[in-house]
Structure formats: structure tokens, C-alpha cells
Amino acid sequence: MCRVEDGCPGRRGLYGGIGPGRMRCRSEEHSHCAGGEGCAAARGGGRGRDRGLLLLVTALSLLSRFYRLSEPPHVCWDETHFGKMGSYYINRTFFFDVHPPLGKMLIGLAGYLTGYDGTFPFKKPGAKYEHHKYYGMRALCATLGSCLVPFVYLIVLELTRSFTAAFFAAIILIFDTGCITISQYILLDPILMFFILGAVLSMVKFSGMKDRPFSASWWQWLILTGVNIAGALGVKFVGIFVTLLIGINTACNLWHLLGDVDISLVEFGKHLLARVLCLILLPLVFYTILFAIHFTVLNKSGPGDGFFSSAFQSRLIGNNLFNASMPEYIAYGSMITVKNVQTAGGYLHSHWHLYPEGVGARQQQVTAYLHKDDNNLWIVKRPDHTTDTDGPAQYVHHGDVFKLEHKETSRNMHSHQHEAPLTKKHFQVTGYGMNGTGDSNDFWRIEVAGGQSGDLIKVLRSKIRLIHLATGCVLYSSGKSLPKWGWEQVEVSCSPYLKETPNSLWNIEDHINAKLPNISLDVLKPSFPEVLLESHVVMIRGNSGLKPKDNELTSKPWHWPINYQGLRFSGTNETEYRVYLLGNPVIWWLNLSSLLVYLLLFSITVVYLQRGYQPVHHIRAITWHVLLQSSDLLFSYPAAQRVYTGGVICMIFLCVHSFYLFHPLSYGMIGPLAQDPHSPMSGLRWMESWEF
């Protein structure tokens, strides 16, 4: 029996041992470890065993993820969102989502390459796919979900040099019903986890190359780390956490190099430059290219138009602003539409309906409306109501006072010190007067954000505020929906708080004035950097505004590590095909030993759903085995080694048996519910909160 110590060339092989950085040769023939034939034979045997186990866990992972992949043949849970978004890519129709585009792009590409034509509407869960080819999109997610198992195997093997730990880590993911379920449907989760674990694997492999700096393998793993960082960020913003992990690891490595007296400052500079290029610049370039492809493919007007600015919409084929022409600057007598610049901001709107009794003054309603409509049209008038019909047009400037007359009803936009219908500390905004005749409460001062006296008001591009002259309040869209008497349109109020926010900023979208020359809106289209910046502002606002929908099942963070609550993916009664997202209880409860990683949870998501815990669950699976294998003291005794091996075998048996009991949750079931003694799940509701 021989021990490979630090000086042995076999120490860094992919075979090996019980503790990190050490290996026990199982044959007396391998008694000469100083680079001799015995140690080489051990390395060869270790590599063969590594390949065999890697192939085994990969095959099991593929089998478990692709088994009954086409079932059920209807939309399940969030497939209604991400399948629909894949269709939008195939049809080149613009849409909005709070996540970056890579995951949806890959789903759309998989569907396109496997014959899906993008015509299925994905209206709601339970809708039958019928003749539509959905399998390719599920297969993409299953394939990437299957890769997580070999990734975890290789990560744990690299960190511990223990086949036992690596194999057990892989078994945990192979037989976890939750991981299987999340990988079998058209979702972003398996795509996100592919890039997160790909980044961790690349980082670990790169760290193992520290004695071979600037070799081909060293560059390969460094570049792959950067690509996977960009991939994780390109699927969901929670990918920032793996970026932070790699950043901390890189900073530690550089600090160690800086303190190494054998490394010159020139050599250290090369290391620093390589990491800047591959871990900062390369991910930024790759991430930017993703958005360039996203905007190039999605070039047709669609349901996402209204979330973006008027200038952005002018890029989209089919939008009324695409290839349109209109006067560049507004003037008195111009007919305009005014749009709020906040995410999904509506158009300033009015109609013949009055505010009801008890809601401010009983005058004409002024609201924000999310759709194009003739009632969105307003005419810019002088405060003295004079109009020179024969003279040249006179432009409106920053700081000018004017009136806005509603074209359809001929009433002026008006405010006064009655409280707004919903935002009680704001003032009410109404339509008042007749045929443009009103009172001094109809006067508004226009200001361009960041502007100065004399600046003109440019369509699409100028962001303006409308200050009520009598009260000093600013025109404001609260984003709150009015009751049915207001047709559930958005409240418009006048805010006494003058802080500049998106709610109080507006832009001119449509503009008609026969006295002014038209220009093509092509010259006002935003540049790619402007589009990229706007899209991120809109996504960040969308994420910050995420709230659970009415009756949507959510969970609390403390529920997740203990597997307290599952989630229905499909079906609710005994006649329907039921799929229920729930982790393998034995596996999840075993993983509680690495509970410290759970602290990451509170930063990961706003809307608390169990699937948001999946990245942490995977990292816990790795951490648990690395911590266990790191105890050199424990595994230096043969008796402890035998106990450990026996314990691992017992835990594998428990995991597989638990999977056998709970696998119908992942692969689907029809028939009696769990409370029925004839149900295959009878007796398995170990927690009352499990609803299968």
C-alpha cells in the first residue's frame, strides 16, 4: 500500500483518493510513487474509472430527463410564457420580458430547428398541443438539464479527488424528483443552471491549471468561464451571483500571485490582463452581442411595444411610428399625443365620462390609456385662446405656458385642489370648460428635462414635465388602475412633489401640424447603445415591480430548504394528468447539512417560488460533499473509511428508494389523489403542506 503525497506526480491526477490532494494506491505493485511505472498505472486506472463513472452518470441523467418527455401533451405551468416567447422569436414579433433574452432565444431556436412553426398560441396551462411540434423545445431544456449531473460530478471530483464523493453528488441530482421536473418543460431554469454550473466547473478547472499558466488548457478554461458568466447573465439577472463568486475567487488568486516572490511584476501584469480580457471584456462583448441579435430578430411590432419609449417603437415594422413622418418640433395649433415614459406608461387620455359623485369635482375624467385611440389626441393652445390661422407656426419652447384642449370633447386639461381619486395626497386632473373656454386652472408650463430657456420640444426624444401654473403641481401617472367607473384605465393626478421621476415625465409621440414641414422619423431612431440602455432600464423596473398575482401560490424562504411546499405543474383532480414539483424528500433533507448556503436565498428573487431555490439546491449538493471529503483527519483511519463507504451506500439506497416512491410526481399520474388509499401516492404525504 502506498500513499501519494504532495511530491508525487500523481497528486493532481483525475483519479484518487479519500481526501483532497491525496490518493491511496490499492496494490503493492505501486510501491514506488516518485513518478515510476506503478504510479503511472494508478493514474491510468483512475482515468479509466473516471471516464466510466462519467459516462454512467451522464447516461442515467439523460434517461431520467428524457423519460416520458412528451407527456403530458399540453401546456404545463410557465410553458405558457416561455413557449409563447419562443414563438415570438420564430415570428420575429417584439415582446417584453423582465429577463435577458438568451434563454428564450435558445427555446425559439430549438423549436425552429425541430419543425415548430410558431403558430401555437400558448394561451393557458392545459391547452392541447395537438399537431404542433413542441418536443424540440422540451428536448433542449431536458438536454441542458441533463448536463447538470456530469457538471456536478466533475466539480466535486476536481475539488475532492474522490470518486465516491463525485458519484454520490451525481446520484443526488439524478434521482431528485424536483430537478427532473424542472428540466422536462419549456422553462428558463435548466438553461440558467447549465450556465451557472458551467461557470463553476470552468472556474474550478482553471484553478487546477495554476502550475501551467498560459498553456492552451489554461486559456481554454479561462475563456469558458467568461462565456458561461455571460450565458448565466444572459438568461436571468440572478446569474450575477455566480459572477460574484468567480470575482471573489479571481481576486483571491491574484492576491496570492501578487504575494508570490517567484512571480515578477511583468508576469503578474500578464495574469491580470488575461483575467480582465476573459472575465470582464469577453462576457460584456458576448452579452452585448446577445442583445444585438435579440433586437435584429425581433423587428416587428408586437405586445412589447407599449413598455418602451416612442422613439424605440419607431424601429418596429408595423408600428404606426415605423417609417412615419411628422413635424420635428411642436408648435401652437399642433395636434399631439402625450405618452408617459415609465414602463408600460399610457397615453394622456380623456372621454365624455365624468368622475362619479364623491370623487373630487364631478368633471370630465382624464386618465392614462395603454392603447392607441382617438381620445388620446390633444391640441396645443395659447393661454389667451388666440390662434393666428394665417401666420407662420410659432414653436413651443421650454418654459412656455399653454393649454391642452382635448380634440374629441373640446375640454381643457384642468387641475384644482380637490384630491385625486386614488392617490389622496395628489390633486385631481379633469377636463373642464367648453369649446376651449375655461379658467385659469387650465394653464400649464412645459419644461424639458435637463433643458433651458429657448429649447424646442422635439417629438419622440424630448422628455417633458407639465407644471400646473395655479397650484405648482406636476402632471403625474400613478400606475394605479381606476375602478370600473374609470374603465380600469390608469389614474392621472397632479403631484405637489416635484421630484423628477418616470411617472412625471412625458414625451410627444404623434404630431400633426399642416404649417410645419414633416421629417422622417428614421433620423430620430435611437442608436444601439441607447436601445440597449433603455431595455435594461425597462427590465430593471419590471423586476422591481414584480408582485404575486391574485391567488398565485407563493412560498416563504424558510419553506425551501426543508421541502415544505411543492407546486402544481399540471392537473388538479383525479381525472387530469397531474405533475407536481417537489424535491426528493430524502435528498433535500440530507442536504440540510450545508444550510449556510441557504443565506444566498434572500437576495435571489422577489417573487418567492420554490423553483427559485434550484440554483442554491445544486450548490448545496456540491458543498455538502466537498465539506465531507475535506476532513483529512477523519479519513486517515481505515475504520472511519469503511464507515464512510458504508454510509454512502446506505444513503444512495435511501435516495433511490425515495425516488422510486415519489417518481410519479415528476413523470405524471392519473387516478386517485394521495388521500385515497387506492392511490399510488397513498401514505406519502409526509407533510400536510404537500398537495398532491
Side-chain angles (χ1 to χ4, degrees):
M1 186 81 70
C2 75
R3 178 179 301 218
V4 179
E5 301 291 356
D6 290 356
C8 178
R11 182 177 185 265
R12 297 193 62 261
L14 278 179
Y15 63 96
I18 307 304
R22 58 189 357 177
M23 179 277 284
R24 293 183 186 275
C25 301
R26 298 298 185 185
S27 169
E28 292 295 331
E29 297 175 9
H30 305 151
S31 57
H32 303 289
C33 283
E37 294 179 4
C39 200
R43 288 198 298 273
R47 292 192 186 98
R49 191 196 315 174
D50 173 40
R51 294 192 191 99
L53 284 177
L54 181 60
L55 287 173
L56 174 62
V57 298
T58 303
L60 289 174
S61 181
L62 287 166
L63 286 171
S64 62
R65 272 63 179 170
F66 275 85
Y67 178 66
R68 301 185 71 175
L69 184 63
S70 60
E71 298 293 330
H74 61 246
V75 178
C76 292
W77 198 47
D78 270 1
E79 286 189 325
T80 187
H81 299 303
F82 301 117
K84 184 185 297 181
M85 292 171 187
S87 298
Y88 286 143
Y89 278 104
I90 294 172
N91 297 316
R92 308 192 67 176
T93 302
F94 188 76
F95 68 94
F96 166 70
D97 185 42
V98 296
H99 305 302
L102 179 57
K104 285 93 65 179
M105 288 169 61
L106 292 174
I107 288 170
L109 179 62
Y112 177 77
L113 293 177
T114 54
Y116 172 58
D117 59 6
T119 58
F120 185 72
F122 287 95
K123 285 185 177 179
K124 61 180 181 179
K128 299 288 186 183
Y129 283 119
E130 296 176 340
H131 63 280
H132 295 278
K133 297 181 179 179
Y134 64 96
Y135 187 85
M137 292 183 282
R138 282 189 181 174
L140 166 76
C141 297
T143 300
L144 298 184
S146 299
C147 291
L148 305 182
V149 172
F151 282 3
V152 166
Y153 173 86
L154 291 172
I155 291 168
V156 175
L157 185 63
E158 185 73 20
L159 292 174
T160 66
R161 308 296 177 190
S162 167
F163 289 113
T164 306
F167 182 68
F168 187 34
I171 288 295
I172 276 184
L173 294 190
I174 290 170
F175 293 105
D176 181 25
T177 49
C179 293
I180 291 172
T181 305
I182 213 77
S183 298
Q184 287 200 309
Y185 298 94
I186 305 170
L187 302 172
L188 296 185
D189 303 79
I191 306 174
L192 172 67
M193 285 307 308
F194 173 84
F195 286 110
I196 287 178
L197 289 187
V200 174
L201 174 61
S202 301
M203 176 191 72
V204 169
K205 287 286 191 180
F206 172 73
S207 297
M209 296 285 165
K210 59 186 176 182
D211 60 341
R212 297 164 58 189
F214 307 109
S215 64
S217 297
W218 188 91
W219 281 108
Q220 170 192 321
W221 290 113
L222 183 60
I223 290 170
L224 283 175
T225 304
V227 170
N228 281 303
I229 287 173
L233 278 172
V235 177
K236 282 188 178 183
F237 284 131
V238 295
I240 192 68
F241 289 98
V242 78
T243 307
L244 292 175
L245 171 66
I246 291 168
I248 293 169
N249 181 71
T250 301
C252 292
N253 287 342
L254 287 172
W255 181 256
H256 176 76
L257 290 172
L258 186 61
D260 192 335
V261 295
D262 295 329
I263 295 178
S264 67
L265 285 178
V266 173
E267 189 76 4
F268 175 79
K270 292 179 181 178
H271 278 277
L272 177 62
L273 181 61
R275 286 161 174 81
V276 169
L277 288 174
C278 295
L279 300 182
I280 298 177
L281 296 182
L282 177 62
L284 284 176
V285 169
F286 185 79
Y287 184 79
T288 303
I289 289 172
L290 292 179
F291 277 89
I293 296 171
H294 170 73
F295 292 128
T296 300
V297 173
L298 302 183
N299 64 352
K300 296 179 182 178
S301 178
D305 294 18
F307 290 91
F308 290 80
S309 68
S310 304
F312 184 99
Q313 293 179 42
S314 68
R315 305 170 55 258
L316 301 172
I317 298 170
N319 189 283
N320 69 307
L321 297 175
F322 181 75
N323 282 342
S325 60
M326 63 181 65
E328 184 174 7
Y329 301 103
I330 70 167
Y332 294 104
S334 293
M335 187 160 57
I336 61 175
T337 60
V338 185
K339 186 176 186 294
N340 190 254
V341 304
Q342 68 173 315
T343 303
Y347 296 92
L348 188 64
H349 178 94
S350 189
H351 41 232
W352 288 105
H353 304 280
L354 306 181
Y355 288 102
E357 286 288 349
V359 181
R362 189 164 167 76
Q363 296 174 5
Q364 185 169 295
Q365 297 174 15
V366 172
T367 64
Y369 188 49
L370 299 178
H371 307 283
K372 311 278 187 179
D373 189 270
D374 287 343
N375 280 328
N376 300 340
L377 292 170
W378 300 82
I379 301 172
V380 181
K381 293 290 189 73
R382 293 180 179 277
D384 57 8
H385 196 56
T386 60
T387 303
D388 185 355
T389 57
D390 298 324
Q394 295 189 5
Y395 290 111
V396 178
H397 298 84
H398 171 92
D400 283 1
V401 175
F402 62 63
K403 296 189 298 186
L404 279 181
E405 180 184 315
H406 189 240
K407 177 181 179 295
E408 186 67 22
T409 63
S410 298
R411 289 198 166 115
N412 299 327
M413 188 170 73
H414 176 99
S415 188
H416 44 221
Q417 292 186 349
H418 292 268
E419 67 180 20
L422 301 179
T423 310
K424 299 301 183 182
K425 293 184 179 181
H426 290 192
F427 300 140
Q428 183 187 33
V429 177
T430 68
Y432 179 75
M434 184 60 66
N435 295 324
T437 301
D439 62 21
S440 59
N441 281 333
D442 301 341
F443 300 155
W444 301 81
R445 184 175 68 252
I446 187 168
E447 295 180 354
V448 179
Q452 55 188 357
S453 180
D455 286 352
L456 298 176
I457 315 302
K458 182 180 287 190
V459 297
L460 302 188
R461 304 307 293 267
S462 292
K463 294 181 180 179
I464 61 173
R465 298 200 309 162
L466 299 178
I467 311 295
H468 190 242
L469 207 60
T471 62
C473 59
V474 60
L475 190 69
Y476 189 93
S477 174
S478 68
K480 302 173 184 176
S481 295
L482 294 167
K484 290 185 178 180
W485 56 255
W487 305 93
E488 298 181 341
Q489 295 174 11
V490 177
E491 178 194 42
V492 167
S493 61
C494 200
S495 170
Y497 310 107
L498 299 183
K499 182 179 178 182
E500 193 173 284
T501 68
N503 304 72
S504 63
L505 290 174
W506 307 77
N507 69 267
I508 310 302
E509 181 166 297
D510 298 289
H511 180 205
I512 301 170
N513 193 320
K515 292 185 177 182
L516 298 175
N518 290 341
I519 64 163
S520 171
L521 293 187
D522 280 346
V523 301
L524 300 179
K525 286 181 180 178
S527 63
F528 174 71
E530 290 174 309
V531 168
L532 185 64
L533 177 61
E534 180 178 350
S535 66
H536 280 76
V537 170
V538 172
M539 283 190 292
I540 291 168
R541 287 179 188 163
N543 269 300
S544 64
L546 281 179
K547 295 178 182 176
K549 299 174 184 175
D550 291 341
N551 302 317
E552 182 177 16
L553 181 65
T554 59
S555 54
K556 295 179 173 59
W558 66 267
H559 291 173
W560 304 341
I562 64 173
N563 213 22
Y564 179 80
Q565 189 174 16
L567 182 68
R568 289 194 186 100
F569 262 47
S570 172
T572 57
N573 58 56
E574 62 185 31
T575 63
E576 295 177 327
Y577 193 99
R578 303 190 305 281
V579 176
Y580 191 76
L581 173 65
L582 184 75
N584 184 323
V586 169
I587 290 173
W588 281 58
W589 294 338
L590 280 173
N591 267 346
L592 284 173
S593 55
S594 59
L595 195 57
L596 286 178
V597 186
Y598 166 67
L599 295 176
L600 287 171
L601 226 52
F602 295 100
S603 306
I604 282 184
T605 185
V606 176
V607 179
Y608 295 131
L609 298 172
Q610 189 208 30
R611 66 166 185 175
Y613 185 65
Q614 287 292 325
V616 179
H617 174 58
H618 285 72
I619 299 299
R620 278 175 55 196
I622 296 170
T623 306
W624 190 71
H625 294 91
V626 172
L627 292 175
L628 192 61
Q629 279 296 315
S630 295
S631 176
D632 284 349
L633 179 63
L634 175 62
F635 296 115
S636 55
Y637 298 100
Q641 184 183 331
R642 287 192 291 272
V643 170
Y644 167 72
T645 303
V648 167
I649 293 172
C650 289
M651 286 190 288
I652 289 176
F653 173 79
L654 287 173
C655 293
V656 174
H657 181 65
S658 180
F659 169 76
Y660 170 76
L661 295 176
F662 287 93
H663 77 274
L665 300 181
S666 293
Y667 297 125
M669 51 192 170
I670 298 176
L673 301 177
Q675 55 264 36
D676 190 315
H678 298 98
S679 169
M681 306 305 294
S682 177
L684 293 178
R685 283 191 67 195
W686 298 347
M687 301 181 77
E688 286 296 321
S689 52
W690 295 351
E691 298 178 333
F692 52 79

